[in-house]
Amino acid sequence: MDVTSLVSTAQAMVADGKGILAIDESHGTIKKRFDSIGVECTEENRRDYRAMLLSTPGLGERISGAILFDETLRQSTADGKLLVELMNEAGIIPGIKVDTGAHPLANHPGELVTEGLDGLRARLKEYASMGARFAKWRAVISISEATPSDACINANTHALARYAGLCQEAGLVPMVEPEVLITGDHSLEDCYEVTVLVLRRLFEQLYDQNVLLEGTILKASMVISGDAATERAGYNEVAEATVDCLLQTVPASLAGVVFLSGGQGDEEATVHLDAMNKLGVFPWPLSFSYGRALQAPPLAEWGKDPAANISSAQAKLAHRARMNGLATTGEYDSGMETE
Ligand code: 13P
């Protein structure tokens, strides 16, 4: 294991003022996004859309890395430049999603376990040779009367730790993502309780597998009320509960924490991150790895006219990247949205 390079990549991913762009949607998910803007989900359109995002002028000032889907890592722009090369020129670290999706967990109705360990060592080797420097694996945990079960938490955190070990063996920084879903009518307190359990188990498993935390990034969900809760906690409550939950569970040696947006609105996700970083300085940088919260405005703009609206869509992405970049140091203000 090349410790120095793992640690320096992990630190670069969460450098002050920067965060991660998640564009690693599976074919099914990107089709849903394209359906919403009336664009056909072809390989060429997926390539054009993602190349448009990645070639946003100045993106590397606020985006340290981007997570790609397998197809994207292999694609070139319309004029023949590999997207990975374009990213390297822009100072954006190439990352890759390596799990193969969440599937029903046997004997546990309503719960999922993420698969993809079989053959992972060989896939990681190939991804590293193609220029990927970090890899993501997403597990999902749902909150309801009956869930999560211990079995679901154990199976998912065990797989995350096994994947993380394989990543570091291949020289890739693991971005471990145990997403506690926002779906449901649960309270902030319910989410706090479940997130503590999941993160404690995750770090035990990472420890068991000898994973180097200085070369690991946690992709966390915020501690937040369910999307169908009757009374939802406010920005500061979310920020305080999330930071408290992390302080109770995450070792100080971890390289950094990045959040997913998980169905929050784009400005909402920025305000939450900023509110956390306004609370003080923590043992690890708190940054972002947003998918929908970075892509919603550029996707809508591009969808109006994919051929003509390239620079206006890129301007939307650059704006959200800047707002979130400022939120990583607690320097965001909602007044900046309209400047
Ligand atoms: P969202 O920010 O849209 O939740 O996506 C982030 C991600 O990569 C989920 O795995």
Side-chain angles (χ1 to χ4, degrees), residues 25-165:
E25 299 84 3
S26 61
H27 289 336
T29 306
I30 194 71
K31 181 171 185 316
K32 272 192 240 157
R33 308 272 186 268
F34 278 14
D35 285 349
S36 76
I37 52 164
V39 169
E40 201 188 338
C41 191
T42 61
E43 181 180 347
E44 192 177 323
N45 286 340
R46 292 192 293 271
R47 191 258 332 253
D48 288 349
Y49 171 65
R50 287 161 168 160
M52 177 279 290
L53 295 176
L54 292 170
S55 53
T56 296
L59 194 65
E61 287 161 31
R62 293 297 183 182
I63 296 296
S64 55
I67 319 168
L68 309 182
F69 190 62
D70 179 277
E71 172 186 89
T72 320
L73 190 69
R74 301 173 193 281
Q75 280 173 326
S76 300
T77 59
D79 44 19
K81 180 181 279 192
L82 275 169
L83 290 177
V84 173
E85 213 176 296
L86 189 144
M87 292 169 74
N88 285 329
E89 285 171 13
I92 299 170
I93 303 170
I96 178 80
K97 183 230 294 290
V98 299
D99 65 72
T100 55
H103 300 272
L105 179 64
N107 299 324
H108 293 82
E111 294 194 291
L112 301 173
V113 62
T114 299
E115 296 182 0
L117 288 174
D118 288 353
L120 183 59
R121 176 176 273 129
R123 288 197 290 130
L124 289 170
K125 199 169 167 205
E126 188 199 10
Y127 289 143
S129 76
M130 294 170 74
R133 290 169 54 203
F134 71 98
K136 184 191 97 169
W137 177 293
R138 170 176 179 256
V140 289
I141 307 288
S142 60
I143 305 181
S144 71
E145 287 287 308
T147 63
S149 64
D150 268 356
C152 176
I153 297 176
N154 285 336
N156 276 297
T157 53
H158 178 76
L160 276 164
R162 295 268 309 281
Y163 128 87

Side-chain angles (χ1 to χ4, degrees), residues 21 23 47-63 77 79 83 86 90 92 293-323:
L21 168 65
I23 49 169
R47 191 258 332 253
D48 288 349
Y49 171 65
R50 287 161 168 160
M52 177 279 290
L53 295 176
L54 292 170
S55 53
T56 296
L59 194 65
E61 287 161 31
R62 293 297 183 182
I63 296 296
T77 59
D79 44 19
L83 290 177
L86 189 144
I92 299 170
L294 280 168
Q295 290 185 61
L299 177 74
E301 179 66 18
W302 183 75
K304 286 184 219 157
D305 188 343
N309 285 5
I310 292 177
S311 12
S312 54
Q314 289 175 331
K316 300 273 185 197
L317 174 63
H319 175 72
R320 286 261 54 81
R322 190 170 89 82
M323 296 298 101

Side-chain angles (χ1 to χ4, degrees), residues 165-178:
L166 285 164
C167 283
Q168 292 188 335
E169 181 191 273
L172 295 167
V173 170
M175 178 187 271
V176 295
E177 180 181 11

Side-chain angles (χ1 to χ4, degrees), residues 174-195:
M175 178 187 271
V176 295
E177 180 181 11
E179 176 174 0
V180 176
L181 294 171
I182 200 171
T183 319
D185 60 2
H186 52 269
S187 64
L188 178 92
E189 291 73 21
D190 294 332
C191 182
Y192 180 96
E193 215 175 288
V194 168
T195 310

Side-chain angles (χ1 to χ4, degrees), residues 22 24 136 138 177 219 260-262 289-292:
D24 59 329
K136 184 191 97 169
R138 170 176 179 256
E177 180 181 11
K219 178 156 175 168
L260 57 100
S261 59
S289 173
Y290 294 155
R292 284 161 285 179

